[in-house]
Amino acid sequence: MKYILILVLFVSNMATAQKHFTKTGLTTFKASVDTFEPIEAKNESTTVILNTETGAIAALLFVKAFHFEIALMQEHFNENYMDSDKFPKATFKGQLIDFNMKHLSSEDKEFQLKGTLTIRGKDKLIATVAKLKKQHNKIVITSNLTVKPEEFDIKIPGIVRDKIAKSINLNLHYELVEKK
């Protein structure tokens, strides 16, 4: 019985050691058009978990955690476009293709990242490149992708349609530590 308990503890520690995470990941977006006011925001509280055994990755952010320089822009973003009271979270569930923890070093290594991005209850399949590297005791993940508001049923009123980019650029920077 004693050996079974030790084995269970050892296996559960191994399973935990296979995950890296952050609760302070940086997600930014830019929806600016050159001739108008910058439409940019950042969210510094994205939660991300990477299973280093399988390359499975999941992320969650609260929409209201996006911070804009202009308070009115933030209010419009949450109330008029994102309907963040009804859809408070955005999620991503995916896979780093051919991920192998042993191949990470202090230099960026590119992996194909595929998965499902869910915003406002709408799913979109995503395929992009993610760069990963080891930095001290962390795994640093950076990536960017482009989405369109209509893919998530985000309606842009005609009066401001020319002031908002047709494609939104998302930039990701996550520093993951081993989950213990």
Side-chain angles (χ1 to χ4, degrees):
M1 190 63 163
K2 180 179 171 183
Y3 294 110
I4 292 174
L5 180 61
I6 291 171
L7 180 62
V8 168
L9 289 173
F10 177 74
V11 169
S12 67
N13 283 341
M14 266 183 47
T16 303
Q18 296 173 359
K19 296 198 168 116
H20 281 67
F21 82 106
T22 186
K23 290 183 179 180
T24 58
L26 175 63
T27 303
T28 63
F29 80 82
K30 184 175 181 179
S32 303
V33 175
D34 289 338
T35 57
F36 292 100
E37 202 165 15
I39 302 171
E40 301 173 357
K42 65 181 177 177
N43 182 322
E44 297 178 289
S45 60
T46 304
T47 299
V48 181
I49 298 175
L50 170 64
N51 182 323
T52 56
E53 179 78 15
T54 65
I57 189 166
L60 172 127
L61 66 77
F62 288 98
V63 175
K64 285 188 176 182
F66 274 106
H67 175 73
F68 291 74
E69 291 289 322
I70 301 168
L72 185 60
M73 201 177 282
Q74 186 165 330
E75 183 180 324
H76 287 191
F77 171 80
N78 284 302
E79 293 176 8
N80 301 340
Y81 302 111
M82 296 303 291
D83 199 6
S84 50
D85 284 334
K86 185 175 180 183
F87 303 104
K89 301 179 287 191
T91 62
F92 177 82
K93 292 179 185 174
Q95 184 74 36
L96 291 163
I97 307 303
D98 297 327
F99 177 79
N100 187 330
M101 183 73 172
K102 294 176 187 171
H103 294 149
L104 293 186
S105 69
S106 61
E107 300 293 320
D108 282 333
K109 176 152 179 63
E110 291 186 351
F111 293 92
Q112 287 294 314
L113 175 61
K114 295 183 179 181
T116 303
L117 177 63
T118 304
I119 299 174
R120 296 186 79 245
K122 302 294 179 193
D123 295 339
K124 177 176 178 8
L125 294 177
I126 297 292
T128 190
V129 173
K131 294 179 182 178
L132 281 78
K133 66 180 175 183
K134 281 186 188 175
Q135 191 173 46
H136 307 289
N137 293 330
K138 297 178 182 178
I139 296 174
V140 178
I141 302 173
T142 57
S143 186
N144 56 54
L145 55 121
T146 303
V147 296
K148 296 181 178 184
E150 62 268 13
E151 294 171 325
F152 302 100
D153 290 342
I154 299 170
K155 310 268 188 276
I156 310 295
I159 195 164
V160 294
R161 190 170 293 131
D162 292 336
K163 297 179 181 181
I164 299 173
K166 294 187 184 349
S167 295
I168 313 302
N169 296 317
L170 298 168
N171 293 297
L172 319 172
H173 181 93
Y174 306 138
E175 296 183 12
L176 312 179
V177 296
E178 188 172 345
K179 187 172 184 176
K180 296 185 183 213

